[in-house]
Amino acid sequence: MQLHEKLQLLRKQNGLSQEELADKLGIARQTVSKWETGQAVPEVSGLILLSELYGVTIDRMVKEDDECNLTLSAKTELDYAEIIPFLIRAKKNTYAGKAHEIKASRTQSHDFCYEENEYSYYDTYLGGEKFAGEEAVWHHGEPVWSMNYVGRVIGEHFSGDFLKEVLSHVPMERPFRGPDIYTNGDYRYHCKTEGEFTWYQGYEEIFYMEERIYECYFHGGMIQA
């Protein structure tokens, strides 16, 4: 495996687009494209930044020996171009889509499931006005991504239908909860996130007029056995 192939795999492994990687490195997207097509090679300063960002040594990136190649390949089997769109469809077709719950996996839990080909998605939570739960994605029966969340209703006029409406607009670039800002009438939703698809955390809140009536914390990322 040559350097330009490894750079492309590492970017995809970390759930980044070429534009997002370019922004993090402070370079033009065209430069990233040239790296990944073999038209140019990163300078030493660029390799250092990539090494720190991906958590991979420079030796592992530039060497072409089989051991390094196998290590990288094993970590990049999953295609984020498939996982993220699947996750979004799953979210829209379960809780946000007002789907029927499946059989409870635990006492008094609320469970949802969505499946497509080799992918499966489960969302299970406990509670009501105060709640905690987990969403997860399986690929060929192996868990690959998960998110835990905990939230509560803290004011009057909370609308579950508004929350479902918000979550049906989950953005492709941050496929965790809802968009940064969403409004409908007197209801306003805010969401803040840090990190990438592989490792992130965030906080969402809902206001009714000027009163904050709901909040939820969440975090998660890619998982590997």
Side-chain angles (χ1 to χ4, degrees):
M1 187 185 300
Q2 297 181 0
L3 175 60
H4 69 276
E5 295 173 308
K6 292 181 182 180
L7 293 178
Q8 184 180 98
L9 288 172
L10 284 166
R11 175 177 59 77
K12 291 181 178 179
Q13 174 188 335
N14 284 270
L16 296 171
S17 66
Q18 289 187 344
E19 290 83 357
E20 290 170 332
L21 176 59
D23 287 342
K24 287 182 176 295
L25 299 180
I27 60 177
R29 186 200 64 79
Q30 290 81 359
T31 300
V32 175
S33 177
K34 289 181 179 179
W35 289 351
E36 295 184 358
T37 56
Q39 299 178 50
V41 176
E43 297 181 357
V44 173
S45 59
L47 288 172
I48 292 174
L49 290 174
L50 291 168
S51 174
E52 293 175 347
L53 177 63
Y54 295 145
V56 176
T57 64
I58 294 177
D59 280 352
R60 181 162 290 171
M61 284 192 289
V62 300
K63 286 184 178 180
E64 296 185 13
D65 62 89
D66 291 340
E67 182 179 352
C68 288
N69 292 340
L70 287 173
T71 301
L72 288 178
S73 296
K75 291 184 178 181
T76 53
E77 292 175 353
L78 298 172
D79 187 349
Y80 290 85
E82 289 185 356
I83 296 176
I84 293 176
F86 166 76
L87 176 60
I88 291 176
R89 290 193 297 272
K91 286 173 174 285
K92 291 181 177 180
N93 284 280
T94 49
Y95 177 80
K98 301 181 181 180
H100 293 296
E101 297 180 15
I102 62 172
K103 182 178 179 181
S105 60
R106 299 166 292 172
T107 302
Q108 297 187 37
S109 70
H110 303 272
D111 294 57
F112 300 89
C113 176
Y114 182 81
E115 297 180 317
E116 281 185 14
N117 301 319
E118 68 270 26
Y119 289 100
S120 299
Y121 164 90
Y122 287 88
D123 178 14
T124 177
Y125 72 92
L126 301 170
E129 291 191 356
K130 295 180 180 180
F131 62 90
E134 179 186 58
E135 297 177 34
V137 173
W138 279 257
H139 181 250
H140 287 301
E142 294 292 330
V144 295
W145 179 90
S146 179
M147 179 178 75
N148 292 99
Y149 56 88
V150 59
R152 58 179 182 165
V153 175
I154 54 178
E156 297 181 359
H157 305 292
F158 173 75
S159 169
D161 286 341
F162 175 71
L163 177 59
K164 291 181 174 69
E165 179 182 336
V166 169
L167 298 180
S168 69
H169 290 80
V170 55
M172 183 74 70
E173 63 273 17
R174 291 180 307 282
F176 316 126
R177 298 291 287 180
D180 291 345
I181 300 175
Y182 186 89
T183 61
N184 186 346
D186 292 328
Y187 289 93
R188 186 173 76 255
Y189 169 92
H190 294 168
C191 185
K192 300 177 182 178
T193 58
E194 295 180 358
E196 308 296 340
F197 185 67
T198 55
W199 188 259
Y200 61 88
Q201 59 184 348
Y203 172 77
E204 66 180 7
E205 55 188 352
I206 293 176
F207 292 81
Y208 176 74
M209 301 183 74
E210 297 303 318
E211 179 189 3
R212 188 162 62 96
I213 60 173
Y214 161 93
E215 64 180 356
C216 177
Y217 290 87
F218 57 91
H219 65 270
M222 296 298 293
I223 54 180
Q224 187 175 12

